[in-house]
Amino acid sequence: MASLNKKVSPSNVNLPNDLVLNILSRLPVKSLKRFSCVQKSWANLLEDPHFVDMYYENLTSKTRDSCLLLNQHVPNTVESYLFLLFGERYENRVKFDWPSPFHEDNESVIVVGSCVNGTICLQQVSMIDTTTSIKVLLWTPKTKEFKVVPPSLTAEPELQFQITITGFGYDHVTDDYKLIQNVLVHALNNDYAEVNPPLPGQFWQIYSVKSNCWRNLDLEMTCDVFPQPVGLAVYLNGVCHWLACEDHNQEPYDTDVLLVSFDMSSEMFVTTPISRYNHHDFCDRYLVVLKESVAVISMFENNNCFDVSILGEAGVEESWVKLFTVGLPTCVDHPIGAGKNGDIFFRKYDGELVWYDFSSKTIKEIGIKGEFCYSQTVML
Amino acid sequence: MSGISDTERMITLKTVEGTLFDVKSSIAKDLKTVQAFIDDSDDDVTSPIPLPNVFTRELSRILDYLNNHHRFRSGIEKADEEMARYDAEFAKSMSHEELKALILAANYLNVKDLLEFLNQTVADVIQNKSVEFVRNFFGIENDYTPEEEEKLRNENEWAFNGVEQD
C-alpha cells in the first residue's frame, strides 16, 4: 500500500504516556520548547507541577556521587573553614584542610566559580595600601596539589585597582586552564587623572596555566561585574558564566541584571538579560549548574520566596524557564549554593546554614553557622 | 541433602512464542514483576512462569543485559569502562522500533535500571531532532492547526536552530 507521505512510516509500537513523559523529562529545556509543537498536550509541560518534579529530579540525579564542600565564614570573624559534607542528609561532616598557602591565614578565602575537572579556584582578597591584593590558587582537593597564580598587576602609587575574578574554566582546544578577571581602575586623586592619559577605567585579563602569566584582553563589554564575591560565577562545558549589571539608559535607577557567557576557547562572549523580574523588587541571585544547565536561584525579599530558573540557550532572553517557586520561612536570609539531589542551601538571619529538603518541604539545619554573603557550597 | 543456595536456583520463564528461558534466581530478582510472582506463590515455583506480554527477542535482550551487568559488577575490579562500552553497543544494536519494544518489555517486567537506561537512550536519540521526527517516533498525530503550529514555532524560534536533519 503506497503511503501518501514518504517520510512518515507507521509506528508499530507505541509507548504509554507515562513512559513518554519520563523520556521527555530528561531533555534539555531547548528540546522541550521545540517539542511543544509536537502536540497540544506537550505545549506546557514545564507548567505542570508533576512534570516539573520529575524534570527537576532528573536535573540533579547525576550529582548523587559528588562530594559537597562547604566554605564557612565564621560570623563576626574573618576566618573561613572548609567542610566536606556527606550522607543522605549531610549529617556527616569532616573539616577539610585548606591548601598550605592558606594554613597560616585563612582570612576570607572564597571559591571562585565551579569545580572544573576536580580543580577549584581559591581566592583570598586583602587590601594592601590602595590596591586589592589577591592570593589566587588553583587547587585539586583530591590530590592536594595546588598552583599559585602570579599577580597580574604591580601596584602603582596613584592608582587603585579593584580586581574581580569572574571565571575559572577549561579550554579544550589548548588543553589549558584559564582564569578571566575584571580590573577596575580608579585614580586616587583628580590631579593624576588630569595629567595622565585617560584611565582605561575597566579592562579584562586572562591567565592560562600553560603560559603562567596574565595578558590583557581586548573585550568590548559595557556591563559591570557585581562586587559580591560568591555565587556570581559558574563553569559549564567550556563556558564561564557570571552575573553582571548594566545601567538602563532609559530609566534612572533601573539596573538590568545580565548573564555573561564567556567561551574559554574562542574568548568571545554573549549576554543574556535576566528578565521576567521586576527590578524594583530586591532580589538575591545565585548561579548554579544543574546537570548540563545553568540555573539562577532568585530569592525575593518581599515575600521570601525563591525560584529556580534554567537557561535554555545563552544569548536568548526568552529561553529562561522558571521551574518553580517556593516560599520559605522569614528566618531564611539568602541562598548559598546547591548540593546533590538539587538541594538548595541557604543562610538564616541567625547565621545557621541550612538546606531545603524538597521531599519534606522543610529547611534543615546542618549545625554550622556562616557569615552573610560569604559562605558557599561547592559541588566537587 | 544440603540446601541449595539462592543463587543456584533456576527459574523458568516462558515468552509469548512459547520459548523457555532458564534464569538464575539472582538474575530473576531484577525482573521485579517475576520476583513478585514468586514471592506471592505459596509453594516453590516449579513450572515455567508465563510472560504473556513478553516476546522472545525482548526477553533474550533483557537477560543478556542483566547477565552482563551482574558480571561487570561482581568483578574484583570495577569494570566501569567495559560496562559503558557494552551499554553503548547494546543501545546501538537496536532499531528505534526494537528500542521501543524493549522499553515496553522492561516496563512490564519492572527492570528498573534497564528501563532508566533505555529511557535515557531514547532521550539522547531525540534530543536534537525535529518535531516531525519526534511525532514519527512516538506515533503521534499533530493536533495543531497550521496557524497554531506556526504561531508556536515563531514564539520558540530560538529552540529550532541547530536541529539535526531527519
Side-chain angles (χ1 to χ4, degrees):
Chain A
M1 183 171 86
S3 52
L4 294 170
N5 183 339
K6 241 203 318 189
K7 264 193 192 170
V8 176
S9 53
S11 182
N12 300 319
V13 183
N14 276 340
L15 299 179
N17 201 44
D18 63 320
L19 289 180
V20 175
L21 291 179
N22 184 309
I23 291 167
L24 294 180
S25 71
R26 296 160 187 273
L27 294 173
V29 159
K30 184 175 177 180
S31 308
L32 274 185
K33 282 292 180 182
R34 183 167 69 252
F35 298 155
S36 63
C37 296
V38 167
Q39 62 175 345
K40 287 184 176 173
S41 64
W42 288 17
N44 297 304
L45 286 173
L46 287 169
E47 286 165 35
D48 172 3
H50 176 67
F51 183 80
V52 171
D53 277 346
M54 249 199 315
Y55 192 82
Y56 193 67
E57 209 184 294
N58 282 327
L59 265 189
T60 55
S61 59
K62 225 187 201 173
T63 60
R64 222 151 249 159
D65 297 330
S66 308
C67 289
L68 189 67
L69 213 54
L70 172 74
N71 183 8
Q72 171 206 30
H73 277 72
V74 182
N76 306 318
T77 70
V78 288
E79 296 152 26
S80 31
Y81 296 99
L82 275 185
F83 291 90
L84 203 59
L85 298 181
F86 50 101
E88 268 303 304
R89 280 157 162 50
Y90 309 104
E91 64 275 15
N92 301 314
R93 88 229 22 178
V94 166
K95 212 167 202 182
F96 210 68
D97 281 329
W98 291 107
S100 44
F102 294 131
H103 281 176
E104 251 194 66
D105 174 15
N106 65 357
E107 176 179 331
S108 306
V109 181
I110 63 163
V111 177
V112 176
S114 313
C115 178
V116 181
N117 301 334
T119 302
I120 62 182
C121 173
L122 297 175
Q123 172 187 303
Q124 181 183 51
V125 179
S126 42
M127 286 297 290
I128 291 184
D129 294 329
T130 55
T131 293
T132 46
S133 153
I134 306 190
K135 205 185 237 173
V136 183
L137 293 185
L138 298 181
W139 179 47
T140 305
K142 199 170 184 186
T143 61
K144 301 206 188 315
E145 288 173 340
F146 63 88
K147 176 172 176 47
V148 177
V149 175
S152 61
L153 300 163
T154 46
E156 301 224 6
E158 302 288 333
L159 296 178
Q160 178 182 45
F161 298 112
Q162 188 177 307
I163 302 173
T164 310
I165 301 181
T166 55
F168 165 55
Y170 174 72
D171 175 353
H172 68 97
V173 172
T174 56
D175 185 28
D176 201 356
Y177 290 85
K178 293 176 168 173
L179 288 171
I180 176 169
Q181 71 182 14
N182 171 283
V183 183
L184 217 52
V185 189
H186 306 287
L188 284 172
N189 58 58
N190 288 327
D191 297 338
Y192 182 91
E194 279 165 19
V195 167
N196 288 277
L199 290 175
Q202 144 170 263
F203 59 95
W204 295 85
Q205 296 182 311
I206 275 205
Y207 165 86
S208 93
V209 167
K210 281 185 170 167
S211 71
N212 197 34
C213 68
W214 292 90
R215 64 182 150 89
N216 287 354
L217 210 59
D218 197 4
L219 215 60
E220 280 295 316
M221 214 191 284
T222 52
C223 31
D224 301 319
V225 298
F226 278 106
Q228 181 194 341
V230 305
L232 65 67
V234 293
Y235 167 84
L236 178 65
N237 294 338
V239 181
C240 279
H241 305 265
W242 66 85
L243 294 178
C245 52
E246 201 163 41
D247 279 328
H248 212 295
N249 290 327
Q250 277 93 56
E251 286 173 42
Y253 308 119
D254 201 359
T255 308
D256 285 335
V257 177
L258 314 166
L259 182 75
V260 177
S261 302
F262 182 81
D263 186 308
M264 295 311 259
S265 306
S266 67
E267 296 181 1
M268 312 244 290
F269 73 95
V270 292
T271 60
T272 319
I274 297 179
S275 65
R276 299 171 184 259
Y277 306 113
N278 181 340
H279 302 301
H280 301 293
D281 283 329
F282 186 76
C283 169
D284 278 316
R285 290 185 216 277
Y286 206 101
L287 273 187
V288 293
V289 169
L290 295 177
K291 210 173 182 182
E292 298 288 302
S293 300
V294 173
V296 175
I297 303 169
S298 302
M299 180 103 182
F300 297 92
E301 197 176 69
N302 60 358
N303 57 9
N304 234 53
C305 283
F306 80 92
D307 65 39
V308 176
S309 291
I310 301 192
L311 180 66
E313 180 131 307
V316 180
E317 186 174 347
E318 315 84 82
S319 78
W320 284 107
V321 174
K322 182 165 84 169
L323 286 188
F324 50 74
T325 304
V326 172
L328 289 176
T330 50
C331 57
V332 178
D333 181 9
H334 66 84
I336 65 168
K340 62 183 168 82
N341 303 337
D343 299 324
I344 311 238
F345 285 73
F346 295 88
R347 176 191 182 267
K348 281 166 62 180
Y349 284 104
D350 65 6
E352 289 290 343
L353 302 180
V354 302
W355 58 283
Y356 181 76
D357 180 354
F358 278 95
S359 44
S360 66
K361 301 202 190 319
T362 55
I363 57 167
K364 300 204 189 299
E365 295 195 353
I366 47 180
I368 296 175
K369 283 195 176 190
E371 184 57 271
F372 176 68
C373 272
Y374 278 84
S375 299
Q376 58 186 146
T377 62
V378 181
M379 295 287 311
L380 289 183
Chain B
M1 182 172 82
S2 60
I4 300 173
S5 72
D6 259 345
T7 48
E8 290 169 346
R9 199 143 48 98
M10 302 297 276
I11 309 280
T12 307
L13 304 173
K14 186 162 86 164
T15 65
V16 170
E17 298 102 318
T19 316
L20 298 178
F21 285 84
D22 282 332
V23 177
K24 283 193 249 190
S25 67
S26 58
I27 301 280
K29 276 193 170 55
D30 286 343
L31 306 167
K32 292 212 164 67
T33 305
V34 169
Q35 190 57 47
F37 180 90
I38 295 171
D39 292 340
D40 281 347
S41 305
D42 292 326
D43 310 310
D44 276 339
V45 176
T46 46
S47 51
I49 301 173
L51 303 173
N53 290 342
V54 185
F55 292 86
T56 303
R57 182 184 68 183
E58 274 64 56
L59 186 60
S60 169
R61 281 200 166 117
I62 291 174
L63 294 175
D64 190 53
Y65 181 90
L66 291 176
N67 279 318
N68 273 289
H69 271 236
H70 272 237
R71 193 167 58 82
F72 292 135
R73 280 201 297 265
S74 66
I76 296 167
E77 283 173 18
K78 277 181 85 180
D80 281 345
E81 261 188 54
E82 249 197 281
M83 191 157 87
R85 262 200 304 261
Y86 171 82
D87 282 353
E89 272 308 308
F90 184 81
K92 266 197 288 187
S93 70
M94 290 182 278
S95 70
H96 293 160
E97 291 305 312
E98 289 169 1
L99 189 50
K100 286 187 287 178
L102 194 59
I103 288 178
L104 283 178
N107 188 44
Y108 172 76
L109 291 171
N110 200 353
V111 191
K112 218 167 148 258
D113 284 347
L114 174 60
L115 191 56
E116 277 280 310
F117 171 69
L118 293 174
N119 284 340
Q120 186 59 50
T121 300
V122 172
D124 293 340
V125 165
I126 67 174
Q127 180 173 317
N128 289 325
K129 295 285 201 288
S130 68
V131 169
E132 292 77 19
F133 181 98
V134 169
R135 279 193 195 125
N136 198 19
F137 186 95
F138 290 110
I140 293 174
E141 276 230 24
N142 183 7
D143 54 358
Y144 285 113
T145 66
E147 295 79 31
E148 285 170 339
E149 189 178 337
E150 173 87 14
K151 181 164 179 280
L152 209 51
R153 277 180 188 253
N154 287 334
E155 278 170 21
N156 295 301
E157 206 186 318
W158 64 273
F160 283 83
N161 50 28
V163 173
E164 281 168 27
Q165 297 288 347
D166 286 353

